[in-house]
Amino acid sequence: MTTFKLQILTLVKRIALLCLAFSISRLLFYLFNTVHFQNLEAEEIFSVFFYGLRFDIFSIMVCNSLFILLSIIPSNFTFNNRYQKILKRLFILSNSIFLSFNFIDMAYFRFIGKRSTFDLFNQLGGQTDVIKQLPYYLRDFWLIIVLFIITIYFLIKFYPILKNVKPEYIYSKKNIIIYSLSIIIICSLTVLSLRGGIQRVPIDFADAGNYAKPQHVSLVLNSSFTLIKSYSRQVLEEYSFFSLKTALNSIEPVKHYKNKIFKNQN
């Protein structure tokens, strides 16, 4: 059992590291956009960072569900160095992607006044000058890129390593029951985190309003959360009853009045 406890403890430390990284990105998001979050009281700042973890944990669980599953396999091979390196690469790569959205919004927020949603990809898809503008973005927001690299280095540097001990898994009937129950509990907690708690309705954008003023809601949320939650939202269908050419031929929006004197009615 000591070996399995060590696995679980290491996993908890890794999740805690991610919570810290997401909180750091929230702090940086605030510092880069303080002009939009003025008159924040001390109590509200505490609420933003404390309850913001609820939304961070959702994003962390979405990103790391596979990682968590692979980390709790009660087997001797999970202590293998090669296996642990694969887990670390999965951890760094997947969480780098999710954290990157928070850093992108540090600059993008000032233009749209909210956290990015999935329509961001539709907007980018319709722009042909994104590549041309990229050098200017890199020039103007180079500090955010540097801070993102430092954050990822922080994850790599402080990634909790599973202690190099000789695994001693004993598959007795009692231990198998304990392993199975432990895995069920961990999976249940993961699902609970994905729902955001035990409430009837899963966590959503509106819940952030319970912890901050409407103008400060973006501080409670994180960009990964808003992107995920907005993915399946129904987009209003655009209807086209006739072509532009037909409309212009049928309607004359510009009226021409010849040989008439204008009479001011005011």
Side-chain angles (χ1 to χ4, degrees), residues 141-158:
F141 304 113
W142 63 269
L143 181 57
I144 293 176
I145 298 171
V146 171
L147 290 171
F148 172 68
I149 293 171
I150 292 173
T151 303
I152 302 307
Y153 175 78
F154 167 81
L155 286 181
I156 297 171
K157 180 71 175 178
F158 294 99

Side-chain angles (χ1 to χ4, degrees), residues 3 6-8 10 14 78-79 84 159-165:
T3 304
L6 183 60
Q7 270 186 261
I8 303 304
T10 305
R14 291 168 178 173
T78 57
F79 284 77
Q84 285 300 315
Y159 176 81
I161 303 296
L162 194 61
K163 291 183 179 179
N164 190 17
V165 297

Side-chain angles (χ1 to χ4, degrees), residues 99-151:
L99 280 168
S100 69
F101 297 126
N102 288 337
F103 282 83
I104 290 171
D105 267 354
M106 289 176 197
Y108 196 47
F109 180 80
R110 67 191 67 180
F111 301 110
I112 61 174
K114 65 173 186 174
R115 292 279 189 172
S116 295
T117 50
F118 200 77
D119 58 3
L120 169 67
F121 296 102
N122 296 329
Q123 293 171 11
L124 292 177
Q127 295 180 9
T128 57
D129 61 341
V130 173
I131 301 300
K132 295 179 181 178
Q133 295 295 328
L134 186 58
Y136 300 102
Y137 296 150
L138 296 176
R139 180 197 64 191
D140 295 339
F141 304 113
W142 63 269
L143 181 57
I144 293 176
I145 298 171
V146 171
L147 290 171
F148 172 68
I149 293 171
I150 292 173
T151 303

